[in-house]
Amino acid sequence: MTAESGAMTTPVVAVDGVSVRTRDRTILDKISLDFSARSLTAVVGPSGCGKTTFIRTLNRMAELTPGLRIQGRVLYLGQDVYDPTVNPVVVRRRMGMVFQRPTVFPASVFENAAFGLRLVRASEEEIDAAVTEALQRAGLWDEVHSHLDGPALALSGGQQQRLCIARALAVRPKVLLLDEPTSALDPAATQRVEATLQHLKEEIVVILVTHNVGQAARVSDRVAFLHSGHLVEVGATADMLERPREKLTEQFITGRFE
Amino acid sequence: MGAVTGAPPLAAEDDLRRDRSGHLRGRTVLDRCIGWLLPLLFLVAIAPILDLVYWVASRALPTFTLSIITTNPSGAAGGLLSPIVGSLEILLLATLVAIALGFFGGLATAEYLDEETAGAIRVTANVMVGIPSIILGLFGFIVFVKYFGWGASLAAAGVTLGIFMTPYVYRATDLAYLSVPPHIREAAVGSGATPLQYLFRVATPIAFPSVLTGIFLAMAIGVGETAPILLATTPVAIPPLSLFQPASALPLYIWSGFENGLILPVAIHRAFQAAFLLLVIVVGLNVLVRIIAARSRRRLEGLFQ
Amino acid sequence: MSQPPVAGPAGGRQPLPFLARLRAGIARWWPYVPALLPLALTLAIVDSLIGASRLQNFGAGFFGFIITDYGILIFVVGSFLTSVPALVIAMLVGLGIAIASTTYLPRFLSEWLDPFVDLLAGIPSIVYGLWGFLIVAPFFGHDIFPTVAPALAWIPGFHPSFNSPSLEGTGLALGIIILTLMILPITTLLMRDALRSVPRDLWESGLALGATRWEVARHVAIPYAKRGIWGAAFLGFGRAMGETVAVYFVIDQTARLPTNIYAPTSTMASLIVSSIAQNLAGTDLHFLAEMALVLLAITLVVNVAGRWMIRRTFTDVAGL
Ligand SMILES: Nc1ncnc2c1ncn2[C@@H]1O[C@H](COP(=O)(O)OP(=O)(O)OP(=O)(O)O)[C@@H](O)[C@H]1O
Ligand SMILES: [Mg+2]
C-alpha cells in the first residue's frame, strides 16, 4: 500500500496550506497533507520543528496559545474547522487528543473515562456502555475493570496514559491525535500503548507525533517528516525509512541529527 | 486532495454545525455569560478601594496645612506631630526587634535545617502570623507593661509590635535564602568555599533584596496596626523623651478620636488626615518594595546569563 | 533527621576533648534556637494568657464554665455570626475572581487587575474602621437599608425590629460587609495560587475533550485545587475571627446577641478592645485573658488546619 492509494478515498482530515506564525517568526509554513480513514500517520522531525503545533492546529487547540496566527484551512470531512460558524467545542469532540504526559483528572477511573459523556448529559446506560467499550479499545479493561471506582492517580504511568486514550475514545471521535504519548513511559508500557494504537488504526484516523523513528517504523503506515516548519517529505513508512528521497530525511532517520 | 464538493449530505454525526447532544447551545451560552460576569467581581475589590481613597483624601486634603505636621495635638484640634513621630519611633524599634527575632530563624530554617524539620518549623511561623493582633496586644500588656513594669511606654509598644512583625520577617528571610538557586550553591561549594564564605559572599548578596522587601512589607503591615500597641502605650500629646515614656501613634490618634465621638468637624478632619498619612506611608513602603523587587530581578537575570 | 554537615563524634574510640565536642554540639544544634523562636513566642503568649486568667485556679473544666455560665458564649456566637457570613461571601467572590483571572481574562488584564485585590490587604484596619463608621455607615443607614430592608424582611433574621432599620447603619450587617472586604484578599490570593497550580496540560486535556472553559474550571480545576481552596477557607476564617478594630468601629459594640441583621452586637475581639477602651482594672484582665484564650484556641486550630491543607497541596503538586 502506498500513500497515493490512500489519497483516492475521501480524506477525513485535509490540511490545506496551513501556516502558523508568531509576531516575528514562522512556526509552520504552508503545510498540506491529507489523512484518510483507517490509517496511522506518524509525524516525525527534530525537536522544535513544529510537530506539536501542527497537530494542535487540527483540533483548534493552537488558538488557545496567545500570540499565534493560524492561516490556511483544515477540512474535517470537507468542512473547514476554522469556519466562524463552527464551534471549537464540537471540533475537539470529533478529534480526540492525548498529551505527552498522562493527564488524568483527580477522580475515579470510571469518571475519567466518562468525562466527555457527562458534559453532554448522556444517560447512565449510555455512559456505562461507552466507558466499557472505550476501556476495551484502549486495552485497559482487563487491568482496571475490578476497580473502576478507585482513584485514577493510583494507576501506573502506562495505565494512566491508556486511560487518557480511553477517555478520548469514549466520545467516539473519528480522529485521534497523540503528541509523543510514550515519551514519559518505560519500554513495557510503551509497547502496550503501541499495541493499542495498532488496533485503533483499523477503526479511525490516528495521527501520532513521535521523535522516535523506531516507533514510527513499528506502528505507522505512513510517515510525514517535518523540519523547521516545512513538510519535507511524506510517504509509506517502509519506502520512506528505507529509501528517503530527501537528504534531510535521510540524515534524520539515520540519526545524524543533533 | 482538498474539499469534497458536491458530495452527498453529511451524516448528522459528521456535521460540525449540527449538535447531536442538543445541549451545546446552552453550554456555550453559559460559558460566555460566566466569562462576562466573573470579571465583574473585580469591582467588589476595586470599588471599595476607590471609594475609600476618594473619601479619605477628600476629607483630609482641603484642610491640610503644613502646621498639622509640625505641631502637637491639643484637645481635638492642634496638629499630628506627636502621633507621626511616635509612629515612626515605635516602627523603628519594632523593626529592629523583628529583625533580631525573625531574621536568624528564617536563615537557619532555609540554610541549616533538613527539609522535613524546616517544613514543620515553617508551619509554626505561618501559624504565628495567624494569631489575632489583639491577642498580641494583651500579651504585651501582661508581660511588658505589667510584669516587666515598663508601664505604658514607647518600649512596650515597640517590642510588642516587633513580636507581631517577627513571623513576617522570618518568612521573608526563609523564602529569600531558599530561592538561591541550588546550582549556585553547588558551584560555590564545589569551588572550595567554606560555609561562612558561601553565606556571606554568595547567598546573602543574592537573598538580600528579598529580605529587604520582606522587612519593608512587615513595616507596612506593622505601621497600620492598632491592636498590638493599644494597651502598651497611650495617645499622649507630646513625643516621648525616653524609651519608657508613652508615645502616641497615628492609629492610636484615630482610635482616641473615635472613642471621643468624632463629633467636632476638626476632630473628623484630623482623624482623616491621620488616616491619609497612614495610607501614604503604607503605599510608600509598597512602592519601595516594588522598586527593589524589580531592580533585584534585573540583577538576578544578569546572574543567570 | 539528616546528618549535620559538621563532623560529629563518629567512630572515635577515645573521647573527644570537651571543647571540640561542645563546638560540634553548637554547630549541630544552634539553628534550632532561632528557628524555634516563633513557636516559643506562641507558647509564651499562651502561657502569659493562662497566667493572667483564672484557669490555673480552676483547671481545664473552667472553660466549660466560662463559656456557658459566665457569659462568653454570646461573644463566641457574635464572632461566628460576623465571620461565617463574611467568609461565605469572601469565598464565593474570591473564587469567582480567581477563576476569572486564571481562566477567562487575558494575561495582561489579569496582571493589571490582580494588584487591586492585593491592595485591599494593605489598607490598615483602623482606616477601614474610620471609613466604615463615617462614610459607609451613614450611606447604608440612610440610603441602602431603608430601601432594601422591606424587600428582604421575609427572610428570618432580616426583619428590622423597628419600622425602619437603624439610621446609623452600624451593626451586624455592616460588620459583615467590612469583614468581607478585609478577608477577600487572603481568600482570593490563596485560591488564585491553588488554581494556578493546576497543570496546563490538565486544563488543555479538559478542553480537548470538548469541554467549555467553565466546565474545565468547574469539573477539573476546582477538584484539583480542592485542598488549596479549603486552606483558603480556614485561613480566611481565622482572619475574620481575629479582626478587631475595624469591626469594633462599625458594629456598634453592645454586649448582647443581635435580634436581626441590622442590630448591634459584639464579637470576642471587639469585646476585648472595648473593655480596653473603658478601663483596665485587675478583674477585667482575668476576664479578657480568658476570652483571649478562647479566641486564640479557635484561631490556632483553624490556622494549623489551613496551613496543613495548603502544605499538602504544594507537596502534591511537586509530586506530580
Ligand atoms: N507560543 C509560542 N510562541 C512562540 N514560539 C512558539 C510558541 N509555541 C511554539 N513556538 C516555537 O515553535 C517551534 C515549534 O514548536 P513545537 O512545540 O511545535 O515543536 P515540537 O516539534 O513539538 O518540538 P518537541 O519535539 O520538542 O516537542 C519551536 O521552535 C517553538 O520555540
Ligand atoms: Mg512537542
Side-chain angles (χ1 to χ4, degrees), chain C residues 132-219:
Chain C
F133 177 66
L134 285 179
I135 309 292
V136 186
F139 173 62
F140 273 61
H142 287 284
D143 300 330
I144 303 285
F145 291 159
T147 35
V148 169
L152 297 177
W154 55 275
I155 307 172
F158 279 67
H159 189 70
S161 20
F162 311 102
N163 277 341
S164 69
S166 142
L167 283 184
E168 308 255 315
T170 50
L172 180 58
L174 195 60
I176 292 171
I177 291 168
I178 298 287
L179 257 189
T180 303
L181 289 181
M182 299 186 71
I183 64 170
L184 187 62
I186 188 171
T187 58
T188 307
L189 246 68
L190 290 172
M191 287 193 280
R192 201 165 69 201
D193 279 358
L195 289 179
R196 287 246 166 85
S197 76
V198 177
R200 196 167 167 74
D201 275 2
L202 214 58
W203 276 101
E204 292 199 337
S205 35
L207 295 171
L209 282 165
T212 60
R213 290 169 301 180
W214 167 243
E215 286 162 342
V216 179
R218 169 80 187 71
H219 298 295

Side-chain angles (χ1 to χ4, degrees), chain B residues 63 94 104 106 108 145 149 164 169 176 190 232 254 260 268 284:
Chain B
T63 53
F104 298 100
V145 177
F164 172 84
V169 173
I254 302 174
N260 293 328
I268 293 178

Side-chain angles (χ1 to χ4, degrees), chain A residues 83-118:
Chain A
D83 189 292
T85 62
V86 167
N87 190 331
V89 166
V90 178
V91 175
R92 292 175 195 147
R93 284 181 81 80
R94 309 294 159 87
M95 299 196 225
M97 186 166 221
V98 175
F99 293 73
Q100 193 162 351
R101 292 161 150 276
T103 54
V104 299
F105 300 140
S108 68
V109 174
F110 185 90
E111 285 307 321
N112 262 277
F115 186 85
L117 297 155
R118 292 245 186 263

Side-chain angles (χ1 to χ4, degrees), chain B residues 44-45 48-49 52 56 254 272 275 278-279, chain C residues 116-137 174 177-185 243 245-247 249-250:
Chain B
V44 177
I49 288 186
L52 183 145
V56 170
I254 302 174
F272 273 110
L278 266 183
L279 285 182
Chain C
F116 276 95
V117 182
D118 311 356
L119 218 61
L120 218 47
I123 295 170
S125 172
I126 192 127
V127 179
Y128 274 115
L130 190 68
W131 171 70
F133 177 66
L134 285 179
I135 309 292
V136 186
L174 195 60
I177 291 168
I178 298 287
L179 257 189
T180 303
L181 289 181
M182 299 186 71
I183 64 170
L184 187 62
E243 200 45 68
V245 175
V247 176
F249 272 36
V250 300

Side-chain angles (χ1 to χ4, degrees), chain B:
Chain B
M1 152 113 206
V4 190
T5 43
L10 289 161
E13 58 167 36
D14 292 333
D15 191 338
L16 291 180
R17 286 182 194 78
R18 256 191 284 172
D19 167 46
R20 278 177 295 172
S21 72
H23 300 300
L24 182 67
R25 188 84 184 262
R27 291 168 58 210
T28 313
V29 170
L30 179 70
D31 182 57
R32 293 255 166 79
C33 291
I34 288 174
W36 279 107
L37 290 178
L38 286 189
L40 291 183
L41 287 176
F42 271 103
L43 287 179
V44 177
I46 294 173
I49 288 186
L50 296 183
D51 189 72
L52 183 145
V53 171
Y54 167 76
W55 281 107
V56 170
S58 73
R59 291 285 167 95
L61 292 182
T63 53
F64 202 96
T65 57
L66 197 63
S67 68
I68 285 172
I69 52 175
T70 55
T71 55
N72 284 323
S74 67
L80 293 171
L81 180 64
S82 78
I84 295 170
V85 173
S87 261
L88 295 180
E89 284 173 335
I90 293 173
L91 187 62
L92 179 67
L93 181 57
T95 306
L96 295 178
V97 169
I99 293 172
L101 294 179
F103 175 82
F104 298 100
L107 175 68
T109 309
E111 290 283 340
Y112 301 106
L113 291 176
D114 61 285
E115 272 305 302
E116 219 161 286
T117 322
I121 285 179
R122 253 167 225 139
V123 174
T124 66
N126 281 327
V127 167
M128 192 182 168
V129 167
I131 295 178
S133 53
I134 183 70
I135 286 180
L136 269 143
L138 214 51
F139 164 77
F141 177 74
I142 293 166
V143 174
F144 303 118
V145 177
K146 290 279 166 171
Y147 185 75
F148 286 3
W150 295 353
S153 60
L154 170 59
V159 174
T160 308
L161 191 63
I163 291 175
F164 172 84
M165 286 158 57
T166 294
Y168 294 97
V169 173
Y170 173 104
R171 289 202 307 190
T173 313
D174 181 19
L175 266 180
Y177 279 94
L178 213 56
S179 63
V180 176
H183 70 260
I184 290 191
R185 178 189 196 126
E186 278 149 27
V189 173
S191 62
T194 67
L196 276 185
Q197 278 173 336
Y198 166 73
L199 180 65
F200 286 117
R201 303 248 177 93
V202 182
T204 303
I206 296 175
F208 185 68
S210 311
V211 176
L212 205 60
T213 57
I215 291 171
F216 283 136
L217 279 179
M219 290 169 76
I221 295 168
V223 73
E225 279 293 330
T226 317
I229 55 174
L230 198 53
L231 281 166
T233 178
T234 48
V236 285
I238 47 165
L241 294 173
S242 85
L243 272 178
F244 295 100
Q245 284 179 2
S248 186
L250 288 167
L252 287 188
Y253 182 86
I254 302 174
W255 167 270
S256 67
F258 176 79
E259 285 305 317
N260 293 328
L262 286 176
I263 296 160
L264 294 177
V266 63
I268 293 178
H269 285 142
R270 283 299 171 276
F272 273 110
Q273 279 152 356
F276 183 77
L277 288 175
L278 266 183
L279 285 182
V280 168
I281 296 175
V282 169
V283 169
L285 284 167
N286 273 293
V287 168
L288 210 58
V289 162
R290 301 246 151 151
I291 292 174
I292 297 174
R295 277 201 178 178
S296 71
R297 202 174 309 129
R298 241 176 289 138
R299 214 174 53 119
L300 283 185
E301 272 160 13
L303 200 69
F304 290 114
Q305 272 161 13

Side-chain angles (χ1 to χ4, degrees), chain A residues 2-250:
Chain A
T2 65
E4 281 66 37
S5 78
M8 276 153 68
T9 56
T10 315
V12 178
V13 179
V15 179
D16 184 10
V18 163
S19 299
V20 177
R21 297 193 174 86
T22 62
R23 193 143 25 93
D24 43 15
R25 58 177 286 220
T26 301
I27 298 176
L28 289 178
D29 192 19
K30 299 208 188 74
I31 309 275
S32 294
L33 190 57
D34 289 359
F35 299 90
S36 51
R38 286 179 286 284
S39 67
L40 195 161
T41 305
V43 178
V44 300
S47 187
C49 67
K51 307 181 292 291
T52 300
T53 310
F54 175 66
I55 62 165
R56 284 168 65 90
T57 54
L58 303 187
N59 66 343
R60 292 187 65 169
M61 290 299 284
E63 69 194 31
L64 296 173
T65 314
L68 289 189
R69 239 190 25 241
I70 302 154
Q71 291 159 320
R73 296 193 306 167
V74 175
L75 302 167
Y76 173 82
L77 294 168
Q79 311 156 82
D80 187 355
V81 303
Y82 284 98
D83 189 292
T85 62
V86 167
N87 190 331
V89 166
V90 178
V91 175
R92 292 175 195 147
R93 284 181 81 80
R94 309 294 159 87
M95 299 196 225
M97 186 166 221
V98 175
F99 293 73
Q100 193 162 351
R101 292 161 150 276
T103 54
V104 299
F105 300 140
S108 68
V109 174
F110 185 90
E111 285 307 321
N112 262 277
F115 186 85
L117 297 155
R118 292 245 186 263
L119 294 176
V120 295
R121 290 167 231 162
S123 69
E124 287 300 323
E125 301 88 75
E126 254 180 285
I127 291 179
D128 269 343
V131 166
T132 308
E133 188 200 308
L135 288 170
Q136 283 165 345
R137 287 169 76 194
L140 190 61
W141 178 252
D142 295 336
E143 289 156 67
V144 300
H145 70 91
S146 59
H147 44 270
L148 289 176
D149 292 330
L153 280 163
L155 299 179
S156 75
Q159 288 173 324
Q160 287 188 16
Q161 193 60 296
R162 275 176 289 147
L163 180 57
C164 291
I165 295 176
R167 186 172 69 186
L169 292 176
V171 294
R172 299 205 175 78
K174 285 226 161 121
V175 180
L176 186 63
L177 312 168
L178 303 106
D179 189 2
E180 304 188 23
T182 61
S183 62
L185 304 184
D186 63 33
T190 299
Q191 201 247 316
R192 307 220 46 170
V193 172
E194 287 179 4
T196 300
L197 297 182
Q198 298 269 4
H199 284 292
L200 286 177
K201 76 174 177 193
E202 308 297 328
E203 304 163 11
I204 57 176
V205 177
V206 181
I207 303 174
L208 169 72
V209 166
T210 177
H211 56 214
N212 180 336
V213 179
Q215 183 168 64
R218 286 193 295 277
V219 299
S220 69
D221 333 304
R222 196 170 64 140
V223 176
F225 175 59
L226 281 182
H227 183 261
S228 59
H230 297 275
L231 178 62
V232 176
E233 191 172 348
V234 53
T237 304
D239 289 352
M240 181 133 149
L241 296 185
E242 276 158 33
R243 290 178 298 280
R245 289 186 296 258
E246 301 286 334
K247 190 123 180 59
L248 277 172
T249 321
E250 187 191 333

